[in-house]
Amino acid sequence: MKFTPTAILPVIAILLFAAGCSSTVASISPANYDEMSCAELNSALGDTATDISRTAISRGKVANTSVPSWLLGGERVKSVVANRDTARIERLQQQQQAIVAARKRRCPSSQ
């Protein structure tokens, strides 16, 4: 059995699509945190935590995917997608820290 690039492309496309589903949520600009109410900050903090969890689960699934040895470049795609998810998690954690700081400044009950 001979594997051609046309047979490999759909598999790579599926891997990229599956990993890309976790990055569809838009983020809020940190400049807007000072204008948000305490309830909005709490909601944004929860949304950020959910996004971190969702991205970590996606990264774990990608990292644990068994790539066939015949799939040229499959391991490379897997590591690129996992690294992209790791970078996204780091950005979300920074965003979460900014929300926590704004919440401490604005909401006396959160201290």
Side-chain angles (χ1 to χ4, degrees):
M1 181 174 206
K2 184 177 182 183
F3 295 102
T4 63
T6 56
I8 295 171
L9 288 177
V11 175
I12 292 174
I14 289 170
L15 277 173
L16 290 175
F17 176 75
C21 289
S22 66
S23 61
T24 57
V25 178
S27 63
I28 299 171
S29 171
N32 294 336
Y33 295 144
D34 290 331
E35 300 170 5
M36 296 172 77
S37 69
C38 292
E40 291 172 327
L41 287 169
N42 289 337
S43 178
L45 188 61
D47 291 343
T48 305
T50 300
D51 290 345
I52 290 171
S53 296
R54 185 179 300 127
T55 306
I57 289 168
S58 171
R59 179 182 62 184
K61 287 180 181 178
V62 169
N64 292 328
T65 300
S66 177
V67 179
S69 60
W70 54 264
L71 185 58
L72 301 175
E75 286 294 327
R76 179 194 241 169
V77 169
K78 187 171 104 169
S79 66
V80 166
V81 172
N83 290 341
R84 185 192 69 194
D85 284 346
T86 299
R88 177 169 164 72
I89 289 170
E90 290 170 358
R91 284 191 310 272
L92 287 168
Q93 288 173 334
Q94 289 173 353
Q95 182 178 352
Q96 190 176 42
Q97 291 170 355
I99 294 170
V100 168
R103 193 172 78 154
K104 282 183 181 178
R105 284 192 307 270
R106 295 188 45 84
C107 307
S109 63
S110 68
Q111 295 180 7

